[in-house]
Each structure stands twice: as C-alpha cells, then as structure tokens.
Amino acid sequence: SAVISQKPSRDICQRGTSLTIQCQVDSQVTMMFWYRQQPGQSLTLIATANQGSEATYESGFVIDKFPISRPNLTFSTLTVSNMSPEDSSIYLCSVPETGEETQYFGPGTRLLVL
Amino acid sequence: KQEVTQIPAALSVPEGENLVLNCSFTDSAIYNLQWFRQDPGKGLTSLLLIQSSQREQTSGRLNASLDKSSGRSTLYIAASQPGDSATYLCAVRGAGGYNKLIFGAGTRLAVHP
C-alpha cells in the first residue's frame, strides 16, 4: 500500500495570502488527486494531477485559484491562492493503487483562513 | 451525474449493537465501491472495496454488500465497540475508464460504553 505524507498538517492564514500544500508518496504513481473537505461536508475532487501534463480541474475549480504542480512521479503541490474564509477546509492528497482498485489518502492539511 | 447518498447522517448506539449503514448511488454503471473510515482530524482509511461484479466483502467485524442494479450498498458492523466511533464514507468509482471517486456525505457513528 502507498504511504502518503502531507505538509503542513495544519495552518492558520490571513485572507488574501496563498498557501502551498505538499504531497509526497513513497512510490511512483501516474495519477494523484487533490480533494477538499469543507467543514461538515464530504470530499470533493478539485483536480487530477498527472506527471508531465497540466492538471485536469473539476467543475467549479480553476487553475488560477488552485494551481497544481507535478514535477515527478512521487510529489505534487497544491496552492490555495488569494485565500478567503470560504477556503477553510481539509485538503487531501490521494493516489490510486496500481490498477485503480483501492485508493489511498494522505492525512490531510487543515486550513483555517481568518 | 453520479450522486451518492448515505443514511443515516448520524448514529449513536450503545456498545455491542450490530449496525447497518446505508449508501445509495444514482448511476449503476460503477467500476467499484469503497467504504472508508475517517477519524476526527485525520485522513481516510480504506475499510472494504467491492468490485462491480461482487456481491459482498468481509473484513473482521465488517461486512459490505453491493446491489449494483438497485444502486445500493450496506456496511454491517457487528458487535460495535467504542473504537468504531468515526465517520464512515461510501465512495463509488465510475465505469468505462472514468476513475474519480464520488463520495457520500458520510455517517457519523458514536458508540458509547
């Protein structure tokens, strides 16, 4: 099974600033997913990040707000730009098992925007 | 558009009870269905994965069933324990090479001694 780490684990930020979240996987994976979990809500997919190509964003999410980097097969970053209190959420990185069976999740980054 | 619904939204039971958590989905063309557990402030832990061709999967005190044609899955927890207290999430993956997970809103379970 994949082991996923995220940094930071939590942060408190001021509105208007940006935060970059890092996701590191202990094995090479083609696809990485970024999810958002707003308070009391379930998980919503933000985008799919493939190495060597631009991320694919879901409806309601745009690259200017959530730029993603995928420099290699074990690492990705998600930036939350120009933050507002509505961006307060848990952000989770996820990778599928080979063959897209089970999906593994990182511990999440808890973001509070004041 | 696939939608996943979980009932009940919250459940509080005494220790030792057998529980059934329900998950329904609108599009039966799924690749698989997965049940996760989320503890407060933590990430997700995969509990059981059921392929679209399977009817059920078991792991310890957990049993998950799938009725694809009716768009339903249940997670059965036997002899519940306080350590089972968590939020349980159901997620489906679409068929036909469509590989993102669609999550339900979850069932918050509290098992008290």
Side-chain angles (χ1 to χ4, degrees):
Chain A
S1 64
V3 177
I4 306 171
S5 60
Q6 288 186 231
K7 292 181 181 180
S9 59
R10 59 178 62 227
D11 207 342
I12 300 174
C13 301
Q14 298 297 317
R15 70 171 64 212
T17 63
S18 298
L19 176 72
T20 295
I21 302 168
Q22 299 179 7
C23 176
Q24 180 75 51
V25 186
D26 69 342
S27 59
Q28 293 186 338
V29 293
T30 303
M31 303 176 72
M32 296 177 78
F33 302 97
W34 285 99
Y35 285 84
R36 179 177 75 181
Q37 187 177 30
Q38 294 177 300
Q41 305 295 317
S42 190
L43 281 75
T44 301
L45 181 64
I46 297 171
T48 302
N50 293 320
Q51 196 270 334
S53 64
E54 284 197 5
T56 302
Y57 289 83
E58 296 298 308
S59 176
F61 297 96
V62 294
I63 188 171
D64 289 346
K65 176 67 176 177
F66 298 101
I68 289 172
S69 77
R70 184 78 203 276
N72 58 52
L73 291 173
T74 63
F75 186 80
S76 178
T77 65
L78 170 76
T79 299
V80 186
S81 303
N82 188 25
M83 288 184 285
S84 67
E86 292 70 35
D87 294 319
S88 298
S89 298
I90 300 174
Y91 292 85
L92 298 110
C93 170
S94 176
V95 301
E97 186 184 26
T98 302
E100 299 176 9
E101 305 296 339
T102 301
Q103 191 151 327
Y104 299 103
F105 285 80
T109 296
R110 301 176 71 86
L111 171 62
L112 177 63
V113 184
L114 302 177
Chain B
K1 177 186 173 186
Q2 178 74 272
E3 294 184 0
V4 180
T5 303
Q6 291 187 246
I7 295 173
L11 190 59
S12 180
V13 299
E15 182 176 7
E17 281 204 3
N18 299 323
L19 309 172
V20 175
L21 308 183
N22 296 292
C23 171
S24 62
F25 45 95
T26 55
D27 185 353
S28 62
I30 64 169
Y31 184 74
N32 60 35
L33 181 145
Q34 201 163 354
W35 283 93
F36 293 89
R37 168 183 173 140
Q38 185 176 32
D39 292 283
K42 302 287 183 63
L44 276 66
T45 301
S46 178
L47 297 173
L48 289 166
L49 172 75
I50 310 178
Q51 301 293 351
S52 62
S53 59
Q54 296 176 325
R55 294 298 297 247
E56 66 177 341
Q57 284 288 329
T58 298
S59 176
R61 294 182 294 107
L62 304 180
N63 175 275
S65 68
L66 173 64
D67 184 344
K68 198 175 75 163
S69 61
S70 68
R72 294 179 184 176
S73 177
T74 61
L75 179 66
Y76 177 83
I77 304 175
S80 58
Q81 303 170 358
D84 295 329
S85 299
T87 296
Y88 291 81
L89 295 165
C90 167
V92 299
R93 191 187 303 281
Y98 164 83
N99 49 25
K100 70 178 183 182
L101 286 176
I102 305 296
F103 282 84
T107 294
R108 288 193 315 280
L109 173 63
V111 182
H112 47 86

